[in-house]
Amino acid sequence: MSETLDLREQAIRKWGSDNRAIRKGKWIGKPARRLEDPRYLTGAARYVADLELPRMLHAVYVRSPHPHARIVSIDKSVLPGLGKTVFAFTGEDLRDVPPLIDHVALDNLLRTPQPVIAIGKVRFVGDAVAIVLAADRYAAEDAAELLSSVVEYEELPPVPNVAASGASDAALLFEELGTNEIYREAITHGEVDEAFAKADRVFSTPFEHNRYMAAPMETRGVLADYDRADQQLTVWSSTQMPHFLRSVIAGQLGLPENKVRVIAPEVGGGFGMKMCTVPEEIAIPFIATQLGRPVKWIEDRHEHLIAATHSKQQSINLEVAVTNDGKILGVRGEFVGDGGGYSFNTESALIEPALAAKALPGPYRIENYREEVGAFLTNKSPVAAYRGVGWTAANTARELLFDEAARGLGIDPAEFRRRNMLRSDELPYLSCTGQVYDSGSYLESLDKALEAVDYQAFRQRQEELRQQGRYIGLGISSYVEQTAWGSESSAQAGTPLPSHDNATVTVDPSGKVTVAVSVSSHGQGHETSLAQIAADGLGVDIKDVVLLHGDTSNTPYGLGTYASRSAVIGGATVARAAADVREQILQVAGKMLEASPEDLVIEDGKVSVAGTPSRFKTLADVAYAAHWDSEVRNSEPLLSATRFYDPPANYANGCVVALCEVDADTGVVTLDRIVAVEDCGMVINPMIVEAQVHGAIVQGLGGAMLEHLIYSDEGQPLTTTYMDYLVPTFSDVPPIEVISIETPSPFTVGGIKGMGEGGQIAAPAALANAVADALAPFGARIEKLPITPDYVLRLMGKIG
Amino acid sequence: MKPPPFKYHACRTIDEAVGILDSDPDGSKVLAGGQSLVPVLNLRLAAPDNLVDINSIESLDHIRVQPDHVAIGAGTRQYVVERSDQLHSVLPVVREALSHVGHSQIRNRGTVVGSICHADPAAEMPAVFLTVGGEVTAHSAAGTRTIGSDDFFESYLTTALEPNEIVTQVKFDIPSGRTGWYFEEVARRHGDFAILGVVALVSLEGDTVSRARITIFGGGATPLRMTAAEQLITGAKASDIGGDLLERAAIEASAAVRPTDDIHASADYRRHVAGLLTRRAVTRSLERAGSPA
């Protein structure tokens, strides 16, 4: 308990309780309709693919058909019109562009520099071999097909999976490293061996988490234009991190950063995939500078499935030591990542296994824990971020194992969780892996979810139906979700990266509000939720607020949107800047109304004397005077402020419960219902929160039931269209109910926590546990995903 | 995702379309709804020199319900067929099967005849055609011929059609007597091609099975009639068709399919489910045939 108090005091000293204030008025907490939706719904929104520039060339990639091969020759001379109507670039032509390397500050992590177009060697089917350009997409594809047919390769033995990668005679992806295993490290927290020695029982499970991917509706796309007159490069990219991309492009291409502008126009979903800098975002701008013509590359879906980054795959061996009455004494876990052909830039191949290892304890009191993390290279598309990075796999393996342990001990799975879960009054709590859980409602979330599905009645009905040969199941998955990715969050996650973000709030002479933020939106509704914060801060309607984001030329520097950071960081920077501008307005209005600024209020666009609403000036009048009236204007008259925020780590939490029925004849699983309890602290817009929960659950459902990027033993991708790679549609999604609990963070501005990943973190385990629960009479143990009808019949012993 | 160059022919008459096919049989493809062909072109898996678009040939857009058959034109969209109450009243299995063909947007474009001619072994319409029986009418420069449903499907995506022939309509036979039907498919998602599916029609005279048609799709290179299972129940009294006979029919079906492994399911799974769906198909068809409706 003394540890807990220390943590609270330390954090408050560090973050300052007075910094936590946020002005709440008419808008925060309201399900305001999204201001951005009309243009999405009417098709008026413009994405990279919609942009056209004069003299623009269309780029098409020639990509490797081999998983592992040396490039012997590429004879560009076969292309008719080469250098006149058709252009082609190979890795050799881009030799001066430095390769992309991860930024992770770990000494024992081996590095795998990735040229933006392969030089000498290809390492996965889809690796970039050349870029062909022509005036239209059809001609460019014709030329790319021709060039592709003449590339000579010397095939090398493929390394299709981790087992093959670690074999003593395995071919090496990077010969100079002498190994395919680029990382291995074990860390022990507490007294693990003692815990296992003392245990009554030990339960273990091997678990293969499937490789799946974000697959946003908008694939990747880049348009680059180099203006020779101004020596200015403008890059439109479907990115989550426009400012960061600007910095990387400037560095890679050797351009002054103030001569590079990056614009993320409408971005049709990112989910983490569009966070890292991808090789295409360097190669396309480079070619634009070389040719002096605008170059557009729009990824097609086939290309996306083989060459955009994949996610989630890792092998987890988990053991839990328990007492007979269900108390967890210790956990051992080995997390091995299948990183693909390159340990990808930004977060490296550790992104899955290292984050999984650190997050493994979740909402439970686990004091003795040994984590071992490994990462291998394989001849597959590289692995990078996707909603719930590492945490999905950790949650799935842990929650499956806990159900297994509960079954083995004869304890109800909900009760097993209750006995080991952290109580609200134990928070803030320092987890054994160094994560400071600020606040939460772990037990309350579990109880609310079970209450919503009438847990006891379900168990009765389950028993009755089993007598009739029908198999229904219920799966529980509790989670904590690290949010607000700033310097402290990233350090607590195990991959330290500095953080920097700002917002500028400006009131123009007409009294309208412009908010420019460094967090960027790719569909999350920032134009509404951040407007709600600005509107309450300034006492205006959200319709009077315009939010600028995604363009480095009109927004302050910052890291964009990923890892559930934008509600906390965007919210705080906007709230702080709005508070400063409010002060500026009140100074002017005080002079106009001959009142002290402290006695004034702003509501509904009017500044009035508190208690005397008839003494008022409209915000428009005040703003006009602030700019033009030398009698009342401030010494720095602009009504504008820019504020910074690097947030303390904080943790959302919740519980997902899924109900299903398994057809014991066909193995088909019917999902009946999903209930999600979400606690993300102070809610800015409950409708947006609910939609985020729905979306994340659907993606988690995809991973658990449908989505699987499959490679053959020869390293060939087998899921190369949407007929093979199965993304859930609306007809595959059961009713989802979202229940909200609000436990404000004691550390962040306004008590806001991030959210949006919990559904994807928790839903796969809820669904897998539901199926395992339905199949308990068959002794089924789920050891891999997705759960296909074929796998279900194997679990039941009916085939195989 | 752009097709290689081709010559596009917007044909107004069947003769015009047949003429182009005849001039370059191996280099021409017929475009109706385009739901299979266009993706194949965009993926550059096929590169025909001529695309023969029959969408503007008005005479091909029809549904004609006759006493003993239903004729559907090659231009008739799946959605229109699905919505035809007149057709539904005589062949209810068609609407049920069509509801599993992709999603409504796909059925707005796709045609019944196109699906049958594409002959995907895991598709619904070829299996329905084989089950209900009937014929297609094929035109070429040499004249017109009909091909019966039993002779139409030869192998994976391969039919008895010659490259210079174009199908103008399909006829589905209307079963006589009290007939029950069944359709079920197992798919990873609604609207996907089936992992495995069944279509069945079972007719009764009195209490005796007079005719049984059971087709498994997704279980081989073509949709497959389960003739051994059909023979087991034909001539049997409906009231006698129970545990033992159903079990034997299921075993026959599992033995008759020729499935392969793919990423969605193993051959073992398909064999298992073929038996199971055959059993369900017989049971439910008999129930429907026996019910007074």
Side-chain angles (χ1 to χ4, degrees), chain B residues 44-187:
Chain B
R44 296 184 175 235
L45 297 173
D49 297 319
N50 297 288
L51 211 55
V52 183
D53 186 340
I54 61 167
N55 283 286
S56 303
I57 304 176
E58 280 172 30
S59 62
L60 296 181
D61 186 4
H62 63 263
I63 300 173
R64 297 190 190 107
V65 178
Q66 305 293 337
D68 63 341
H69 73 264
V70 178
I72 299 169
T76 309
R77 309 291 165 190
Q78 290 159 349
Y79 179 77
V80 174
V81 176
E82 184 184 358
R83 284 302 173 101
S84 165
D85 290 333
Q86 208 189 354
L87 190 155
H88 181 66
S89 68
V90 293
L91 272 175
V93 70
V94 173
R95 179 177 289 176
E96 176 66 22
L98 276 170
S99 76
H100 290 79
V101 178
H103 295 271
S104 53
Q105 294 87 339
I106 290 167
R107 301 198 290 275
N108 275 339
R109 293 294 305 165
T111 62
V112 167
V113 168
S115 176
I116 290 170
C117 292
H118 186 58
D120 190 304
E124 294 81 2
M125 281 301 107
V128 167
F129 179 45
L130 190 60
T131 309
V132 302
E135 63 189 31
V136 299
T137 307
H139 288 258
S140 71
T144 301
R145 65 168 179 149
T146 59
I147 308 168
S149 56
D150 287 336
D151 303 320
F152 190 68
F153 300 107
E154 294 191 338
S155 182
Y156 183 73
L157 305 182
T158 307
T159 66
L161 285 173
E162 297 297 330
N164 67 341
E165 284 183 310
I166 182 168
V167 173
T168 51
Q169 74 169 14
V170 61
K171 283 184 185 174
F172 288 166
D173 293 341
I174 297 171
S176 55
R178 283 185 297 128
T179 301
W181 59 274
Y182 190 67
F183 179 94
E184 183 178 354
E185 69 177 37
V186 178

Side-chain angles (χ1 to χ4, degrees), chain A residues 105-437:
Chain A
L106 286 171
D107 292 338
N108 53 344
L109 172 64
L110 302 181
R111 311 293 158 158
T112 60
Q114 181 182 16
V116 294
I117 302 178
I119 297 173
K121 185 171 174 179
V122 289
R123 294 180 174 87
F124 65 96
V125 173
D127 208 348
V129 172
I131 299 174
V132 177
L133 304 102
D136 70 63
R137 175 87 193 199
Y138 290 87
E141 287 199 21
D142 291 344
E145 188 178 25
L146 178 58
L147 185 62
S148 186
S149 68
V150 300
V151 179
E152 272 187 77
Y153 298 92
E154 176 196 338
E155 289 187 56
L156 298 168
V159 179
N161 51 46
V162 163
S165 181
S168 57
D169 60 346
L172 297 178
L173 273 77
F174 285 80
E175 287 85 356
E176 59 275 29
L177 298 180
T179 177
N180 291 325
E181 184 175 19
I182 56 166
Y183 187 80
R184 174 69 66 170
E185 187 73 52
I187 306 173
T188 300
H189 313 280
E191 309 293 333
V192 178
D193 292 342
E194 289 82 341
F196 276 79
K198 275 194 303 204
D200 294 324
R201 301 280 299 275
V202 172
F203 295 91
S204 64
T205 187
F207 182 69
E208 291 294 330
H209 203 285
N210 48 326
R211 177 177 278 249
Y212 62 107
M213 74 192 301
M217 276 171 68
E218 184 203 15
T219 57
R220 300 178 299 161
V222 181
L223 166 61
D225 182 26
Y226 186 67
D227 181 329
R228 286 184 181 176
D230 294 336
Q231 299 182 4
Q232 165 86 31
L233 175 67
T234 305
V235 178
W236 293 260
S237 181
S238 185
T239 178
Q240 297 174 221
M241 298 179 74
H243 288 278
F244 185 74
L245 179 60
R246 185 186 74 185
S247 297
V248 176
I249 290 173
Q252 294 290 113
L253 301 190
L255 296 170
E257 192 162 342
N258 61 359
K259 288 291 188 185
V260 181
R261 175 184 177 190
V262 172
I263 302 170
E266 301 287 3
V267 175
F271 311 109
M273 170 186 276
K274 295 172 182 171
M275 176 193 158
C276 321
T277 306
V278 295
E280 292 86 349
E281 287 175 315
I282 305 300
I284 298 297
F286 176 82
I287 291 171
T289 64
Q290 297 298 298
L291 294 177
R293 290 177 69 173
V295 174
K296 177 155 90 173
W297 167 69
I298 299 298
E299 183 178 53
D300 67 34
R301 189 58 69 179
H302 174 261
E303 190 176 23
H304 184 77
L305 287 166
I306 63 169
T309 53
H310 294 172
S311 305
K312 305 284 184 198
Q313 184 172 22
Q314 53 180 301
S315 306
I316 301 178
N317 279 303
L318 213 54
E319 294 173 283
V320 61
V322 291
T323 62
N324 281 330
D325 61 356
K327 181 174 165 20
I328 296 169
L329 300 177
V331 174
R332 288 195 285 244
E334 184 194 20
F335 305 80
V336 178
D338 180 336
Y342 302 88
S343 178
F344 207 61
N345 75 89
T346 314
E347 296 278 11
S348 87
L350 294 183
I351 189 164
E352 271 296 321
L355 268 68
K358 284 282 177 287
L360 189 278
Y364 303 99
R365 210 179 290 105
I366 294 172
E367 282 154 8
N368 305 304
Y369 170 47
R370 179 185 151 88
E371 49 165 312
E372 180 167 345
V373 171
F376 287 85
L377 300 172
T378 57
N379 291 125
K380 301 182 198 172
S381 192
V383 162
Y386 172 28
R387 202 174 198 170
V389 183
W391 307 332
T392 305
N395 224 75
T396 308
R398 184 192 67 230
E399 296 292 304
L400 274 169
L401 180 61
F402 284 7
D403 262 27
E404 185 70 25
R407 265 192 294 275
L409 293 167
I411 298 174
D412 180 275
E415 182 54 30
F416 180 84
R417 285 175 173 77
R418 278 192 202 100
R419 289 181 192 176
N420 293 289
M421 213 169 244
L422 293 161
R423 297 184 314 273
S424 309
D425 62 10
E426 291 176 86
L427 311 182
Y429 175 88
L430 177 64
S431 83
C432 67
T433 53
Q435 310 198 328
V436 182
Y437 301 157

Side-chain angles (χ1 to χ4, degrees), chain A residues 532-544:
Chain A
Q532 287 177 264
I533 288 175
D536 274 356
L538 293 170
V540 300
D541 191 283
I542 56 169
K543 292 205 174 72
D544 290 326

Side-chain angles (χ1 to χ4, degrees), chain A residues 137-138 141-142 145 300 302 663 665-666 668 705-706 710 718-719 721-724 726-727 731-732 786 788-790 793-794 798-799, chain B residues 1-5 42-44 103 120 184 186-190 192-193 195 263-270 272-273 276-277 280:
Chain A
R137 175 87 193 199
Y138 290 87
E141 287 199 21
D142 291 344
E145 188 178 25
D300 67 34
H302 174 261
D663 181 330
D665 291 329
T666 60
V668 170
M705 310 304 292
L706 296 165
I710 302 171
L718 302 179
T719 39
T721 73
Y722 269 175
M723 280 173 60
D724 317 307
L726 307 179
V727 176
S731 43
D732 307 298
T788 65
D790 187 293
L793 288 195
R794 281 170 206 281
K798 295 205 169 183
I799 56 171
Chain B
M1 285 292 174
K2 301 292 179 205
N42 285 345
L43 287 164
R44 296 184 175 235
H103 295 271
D120 190 304
E184 183 178 354
V186 178
R188 299 283 303 281
R189 299 176 302 184
H190 181 86
D192 283 346
F193 283 103
I195 294 175
I263 59 170
H264 299 307
S266 63
D268 283 349
Y269 178 87
R270 289 183 163 89
H272 178 88
V273 173
L276 183 113
L277 291 188
R280 282 188 187 171

